[in-house]
Amino acid sequence: MDLPVDEWKSYVFQKWSLLPKSIQVTISTAETLSDIFLHSSLLLQPEDEMFLQNLSRGYLVEKDPNAPLFYREEGNKKFQQKDYMGATVLYSKGISHSRPHTADISLCYANRSAALFHLGQHEMCLKDIMRAQMHGYPERLQPKMMLRKAECLVTLGRRQEASQTISDLESSFSAKPTLAAAQFQILQTNLCRLKMKAQEKESLTETFPAALTKALEDMDLKGENGQVPSASSSVSLRTDPLRGRYLVATKDILPGELLVKEDAFVSVLHPGEMPPLRHLESKWDTRVTNGDLYCHRCLDHTLATVPCDGCSYAKYCSHDCMQQAWDLYHSVECSLGGLLLTLGVFCHIALRSTLVARFEDASKVIRKLCSEIRNRDTCSPERETLVQTLTCDLGGESENKGKMLEPPVPGCDLNGKYESNYNAVFHLLPHTGNHSPEHRFLCALSVSALCRRLEAAGCYKPAAAVPPGSGSELDVWGVAMLKHVLQLQCNAQAITTIQHTGSKENSVTNSRQVRLATGIFPVISLLNHSCSPNTSVSFISNVATVRASQQIGKGQEILHCYGPHQSRMRAAERQQKLRSQYFFDCSCAACQNEKHSAATGPRWEAFCCRSCGALMQGDDVLICGSTSCMESVSRDHLISRLQDLQQQVGMARKLLRNDKPERAIQLLLGCQRDAQSFLSGEHSLVGEMEDDLAQAYAALGDWQKSATHLQKSLQVVEVRHGPSSVEMGHELFKLAQLFFNGIPVDLSSCPSAQAPNKDSLLAALEEMMWDPGL
């Protein structure tokens, strides 16, 4: 979803192929973004806009007056099945399609409050009760909802408010004697129970995940960095012709030290699995997406979203977030939801960046655009119009009009300070020449179509630096948006979160890192790549933190992994990925070392000899690595056996998902015996089977055997991903769950001589706190 939908891409690529060769050459050889944008925008025809508009209509982002009833009824079905999470999401979908101050929205809020109550989300429940009342919840249904409010207040220990609510209920019952006896009796019974529950609750401490999240949120950078405010005083900004801008350590840095804490300049939530209506069986989608569970502005997880009043797509964690988003950008984006979903996340971020820039002093950026447009040997009438628009009334002192004062480092201000602002974003490299002509045309035509739509809707207000009323003011920002779209391939940061998998009945759950949103972080973009980095990046909402994952000596460069990590890909695969997306060949230490590694390949992919157990070596034909063994076998034969084994393991996992752990164990133990005859003990599939066995035994309540297999899985994970990896953290967390669920657990039978006790495990978990996702 980063780029436009496939239908629009195919359409534009076909349009490109049909262009006269001379026009293709003109766009392909254009030396500036302004030339690419102006030439491409002239080629956008009404039939192109109509095709794009038809694609955009496929997304249901407007409010449908018939949808609230449908979603409320579907939510009621889930509620009756005691699937309160599913009911909550469906009620939220109904709320997003409802107009303010209608029966639809008040009923959906009230129903969602009931589901939230059963999920134990009492604060959210109270907020939904208040919202239901604010939107005109029917008087005849008020007693039932007020009883729920009283229960929440008692549970939360807010006794004075609870007493007032109960008093109001008693008054209401007195006015309705036919209801008073039964209702009041229920109230008194529940009140006694809830008072006891409240007393117990007062003695409980904060839960570990909540405490951990709060602790991470409260962590601040050590020391003030006058050069890069979002970084600690332990790092400094440098630049050279080969490495560009980069960060280095100004002193010795210990593992876990916080180096960067940066808010996204802008971020856009990934829509997730949100196919157009033409691909759905029903008009209304009941599936859960990121947009149903996360705030579209701050990316906080929430079960009680507050919708935009104008569209059904944008949802927020609070009214404050909704208002901030509206003031900054959503007042423009609201009517463009279908178009932005069609054009992709990169176009959306590009538009949002220019909208946010309206609230900054963008005069330097405008002058930069002006400079790029002016400094050509030939100046077309279109380009001259842009120059006149840009140089007119730029603000500042008169002698500086039309002039560019370049700071020593691109993106810094004249005092050398590099801040997370639009100036820094604008100076991120777009690598225009590295993108194919077809890709540049796709991006330029998409931005042109977006600009036409903005102009037609009359909803775009230019930045203060661009004079109001100028005919080409939107084209100015079109050039800027094109630059941002091209920048994002190399500079966008995937904002990730941890999702738990498996059924809620499982005592031990799995977790995986998933992409939640895409954002621009100008300071993090300064970090160069290494396949074996010395830092790790993690996210809390739309705030990114960079921590040292190992000791970093004074003067060493601070390095970040762009995705291709040595523990997940071979060198050839990493190089291909980096070359295609980031346009460079990696020469980091990990890549250099792998060139000289043995022919066996990574240990987690190695085959072993069936006769002596030594590792097999070679290419098409593998030969035993032991000099005393002459065993040989074709690689294709072993790969075929591996694929068969993977299929068997997949069947065992399906049995686990279907709550058949005994049969899964039987199948997995057979797979283990087969694996021993040709796979290395450190092969990744061997570790996965140990993990599956741990889950199966945990499902049966056999904590002893579960811990034994999980310990073996830990050994394989450490070999592949390292002791400080997020994958190791996930396995340690599962082991912690075994301790908490199956105390006492005796690990003396584990093969490792260093089986962890509870103290060492908790210490290890604490050590993992600064790894991504933990």
Side-chain angles (χ1 to χ4, degrees):
M1 292 299 290
D2 287 336
L3 296 176
V5 297
D6 290 339
E7 295 93 331
W8 177 242
K9 283 192 290 187
S10 299
Y11 180 91
V12 174
F13 290 154
Q14 183 181 23
K15 183 180 179 72
W16 169 264
S17 68
L18 297 175
L19 290 175
K21 190 69 176 177
S22 59
I23 295 179
Q24 288 187 359
V25 170
T26 299
I27 296 175
S28 300
T29 57
E31 296 184 20
T32 66
L33 288 169
S34 58
D35 286 335
I36 296 171
F37 177 77
L38 290 171
H39 286 304
S40 300
S41 62
L42 292 174
L43 296 171
L44 183 66
Q45 300 300 313
E47 57 268 27
D48 305 330
E49 294 181 72
M50 183 61 67
F51 180 82
L52 183 59
Q53 187 176 359
N54 288 335
L55 290 177
S56 303
R57 286 173 179 156
Y59 292 96
L60 182 60
V61 292
E62 294 84 17
K63 292 187 183 293
D64 186 334
N66 298 315
L69 177 60
F70 167 80
Y71 283 120
R72 194 167 75 248
E73 290 177 344
E74 292 298 308
N76 291 343
K77 293 176 185 176
K78 293 285 187 182
F79 191 94
Q80 291 166 3
Q81 298 166 4
K82 299 188 185 304
D83 180 3
Y84 301 118
M85 181 67 76
T88 298
V89 172
L90 290 168
Y91 293 141
S92 294
K93 288 178 180 288
I95 291 167
S96 68
H97 280 279
S98 302
R99 292 290 177 185
H101 307 294
T102 61
D104 281 332
I105 196 168
S106 68
L107 291 170
C108 284
Y109 271 130
N111 286 12
R112 191 173 74 180
S113 75
L116 290 169
F117 177 82
H118 284 282
L119 289 171
Q121 301 293 330
H122 299 103
E123 289 285 4
M124 290 184 185
C125 176
L126 288 173
K127 289 179 181 178
D128 268 5
I129 289 171
M130 180 183 68
R131 290 167 183 147
Q133 291 174 322
M134 181 178 68
H135 289 284
Y137 189 63
E139 185 66 28
R140 60 185 172 81
L141 300 175
Q142 287 280 352
K144 181 171 63 173
M145 192 169 68
M146 295 304 288
L147 175 61
R148 188 180 308 134
K149 178 180 179 180
E151 291 193 61
C152 284
L153 291 170
V154 173
T155 303
L156 293 169
R158 292 156 60 174
R159 297 181 182 179
Q160 187 172 352
E161 295 174 76
S163 297
Q164 182 60 52
T165 304
I166 292 165
S167 177
D168 293 342
L169 272 171
E170 290 174 332
S171 300
S172 174
F173 293 155
S174 298
K176 300 174 183 177
T178 55
L179 297 176
Q183 296 268 7
F184 191 68
Q185 185 177 359
I186 294 173
L187 176 63
Q188 291 293 341
T189 302
N190 285 334
L191 183 58
C192 292
R193 174 179 55 83
L194 291 170
K195 283 181 177 178
M196 293 176 62
K197 184 178 178 181
Q199 290 171 355
E200 293 173 2
K201 189 175 180 67
E202 286 177 355
S203 63
L204 296 177
T205 57
E206 190 173 20
T207 60
F208 174 73
L212 176 58
T213 300
K214 188 175 186 299
L216 291 174
E217 287 175 342
D218 291 343
M219 288 181 180
D220 292 322
L221 295 165
K222 293 182 179 179
E224 183 178 347
N225 191 322
Q227 185 186 26
V228 187
S230 296
S232 79
S233 58
S234 301
V235 303
S236 177
L237 174 60
R238 304 284 176 81
T239 182
D240 72 35
L242 291 177
R243 287 184 286 183
R245 299 169 297 177
Y246 61 100
L247 296 178
V248 298
T250 58
K251 63 177 185 179
D252 291 340
I253 295 172
L254 296 175
E257 184 175 333
L258 183 61
L259 304 179
V260 176
K261 185 176 182 181
E262 182 181 20
D263 287 48
F265 177 74
V266 295
S267 62
V268 169
L269 189 72
H270 265 242
E273 295 295 326
M274 190 179 177
L277 292 176
R278 59 185 176 276
H279 295 162
L280 296 174
E281 295 180 2
S282 170
K283 181 180 180 181
W284 298 299
D285 191 7
T286 58
R287 293 175 302 174
V288 182
T289 66
N290 286 341
D292 298 313
L293 299 174
Y294 294 89
C295 176
H296 286 224
R297 192 194 77 82
C298 71
L299 305 183
D300 272 355
H301 184 271
T302 179
L303 297 177
T305 54
V306 178
C308 167
D309 289 340
C311 68
S312 65
Y313 179 67
K315 308 178 188 74
Y316 305 95
C317 63
S318 66
H319 185 271
D320 288 344
C321 258
M322 179 182 70
Q323 192 60 52
Q324 289 179 50
W326 182 266
D327 294 340
L328 284 170
Y329 49 79
H330 193 64
S331 58
V332 173
E333 296 177 358
C334 185
S335 62
L336 306 175
L339 177 63
L340 293 172
L341 287 169
T342 304
L343 293 179
V345 170
F346 282 1
C347 269
H348 197 164
I349 291 179
L351 170 63
R352 188 168 291 184
S353 296
T354 62
L355 293 172
V356 172
R358 298 177 300 168
F359 299 92
E360 295 186 9
D361 177 11
S363 59
K364 286 185 293 186
V365 175
I366 300 300
R367 291 192 183 98
K368 181 69 175 177
L369 272 173
C370 171
S371 177
E372 291 178 355
I373 294 168
R374 186 196 298 278
N375 292 335
R376 308 289 350 125
D377 294 332
T378 60
C379 189
S380 67
E382 294 89 356
R383 189 187 301 115
E384 187 60 39
T385 302
L386 279 177
V387 171
Q388 293 298 323
T389 301
L390 292 166
T391 55
C392 176
D393 194 24
L394 284 173
E397 297 180 9
S398 58
E399 61 267 27
N400 290 329
K401 287 189 178 181
K403 296 181 180 179
M404 280 295 298
L405 297 175
E406 289 289 349
V409 178
C412 293
D413 61 21
L414 294 178
N415 297 317
K417 180 179 286 189
Y418 187 93
E419 297 186 271
S420 186
N421 58 17
Y422 187 69
N423 183 46
V425 170
F426 185 82
H427 283 88
L428 297 174
L429 295 179
H431 298 282
T432 308
N434 295 109
H435 295 283
S436 68
E438 294 89 347
H439 180 75
R440 295 200 298 265
F441 182 64
L442 169 67
C443 296
L445 207 68
S446 298
V447 171
S448 298
L450 180 55
C451 288
R452 294 268 184 95
R453 178 73 177 274
L454 289 165
E455 188 173 31
C459 57
Y460 191 91
K461 296 179 181 178
V466 181
S470 299
S472 59
E473 60 194 17
L474 197 53
D475 285 342
V476 173
W477 291 102
V479 176
M481 281 191 274
L482 175 58
K483 182 169 188 173
H484 297 324
V485 172
L486 296 177
Q487 286 172 337
L488 287 166
Q489 179 166 319
C490 295
N491 291 286
Q493 181 68 48
I495 300 174
T496 59
T497 188
I498 296 297
Q499 276 187 0
H500 296 289
T501 59
S503 66
K504 59 186 178 183
E505 290 81 13
N506 287 345
S507 300
V508 180
T509 60
N510 280 324
S511 56
R512 60 185 180 128
Q513 198 169 20
V514 296
R515 187 175 185 177
L516 174 62
T518 298
I520 302 180
F521 297 85
V523 175
I524 291 179
S525 291
L526 297 172
L527 299 177
N528 282 327
H529 168 80
S530 170
C531 297
S532 179
N534 52 21
T535 63
S536 63
V537 179
S538 58
F539 301 90
I540 298 175
S541 300
N542 60 357
V543 179
T545 58
V546 179
R547 294 180 178 278
S549 59
Q550 57 186 259
Q551 188 163 340
I552 304 173
K554 180 180 179 180
Q556 279 187 268
E557 186 174 358
I558 311 298
L559 297 168
H560 166 45
C561 179
Y562 290 178
H565 196 282
Q566 68 164 351
S567 69
R568 300 178 183 93
M569 299 181 188
R570 290 193 178 199
E573 188 180 357
R574 299 198 304 268
Q575 293 288 2
Q576 191 276 331
K577 173 75 172 174
L578 292 167
R579 198 176 296 122
S580 63
Q581 182 172 349
Y582 297 99
F583 312 121
F584 71 87
D585 292 315
C586 183
S587 58
C588 71
C591 289
Q592 294 299 319
N593 293 338
E594 201 165 322
K595 286 181 181 179
H596 306 97
S597 62
T600 56
R603 287 184 287 173
W604 58 86
E605 294 180 0
F607 297 108
C608 70
C609 176
R610 66 177 181 178
S611 299
C612 67
L615 296 182
M616 304 294 284
Q617 299 179 6
D619 294 321
D620 295 337
V621 177
L622 299 178
I623 302 172
C624 180
S626 173
T627 55
S628 61
C629 182
M630 302 299 293
E631 190 76 31
S632 66
V633 65
S634 73
R635 182 180 291 275
D636 288 343
H637 174 69
L638 293 181
I639 289 176
S640 177
R641 286 189 65 185
L642 177 62
Q643 290 171 343
D644 290 342
L645 187 60
Q646 288 170 331
Q647 188 175 9
Q648 292 292 310
V649 172
M651 292 171 61
R653 288 171 182 162
K654 187 175 181 180
L655 289 171
L656 265 177
R657 289 193 298 270
N658 293 332
D659 295 326
K660 298 177 180 178
E662 294 93 344
R663 292 179 58 187
I665 289 171
Q666 196 174 27
L667 184 54
L668 286 167
L669 290 174
C671 290
Q672 272 194 325
R673 288 190 291 271
D674 187 21
Q676 289 170 358
S677 65
F678 75 105
L679 293 183
S680 157
E682 296 170 341
H683 196 283
S684 58
L685 185 59
V686 172
E688 291 171 19
M689 286 189 289
E690 296 289 359
D691 188 84
D692 293 334
L693 281 165
Q695 290 184 60
Y697 281 116
L700 294 175
D702 192 335
W703 312 111
Q704 173 78 37
K705 288 184 178 179
S706 180
T708 299
H709 287 288
L710 193 57
Q711 184 75 358
K712 293 176 182 177
S713 172
L714 275 165
Q715 294 172 354
V716 178
V717 169
E718 183 172 357
V719 166
R720 177 168 186 180
H721 299 288
S724 299
S725 62
V726 65
E727 290 82 3
M728 192 69 173
H730 292 165
E731 294 299 298
L732 283 170
F733 184 69
K734 283 190 278 189
L735 192 55
Q737 292 177 79
L738 286 179
F739 277 124
F740 293 125
N741 285 298
I743 294 172
V745 176
D746 179 14
L747 292 177
S748 59
S749 61
C750 292
S752 171
Q754 298 179 347
N757 56 34
K758 292 179 191 176
D759 292 337
S760 64
L761 177 61
L762 291 174
L765 283 171
E766 185 177 357
E767 185 178 330
M768 298 299 297
M769 280 173 56
W770 44 74
D771 279 333
L774 290 181

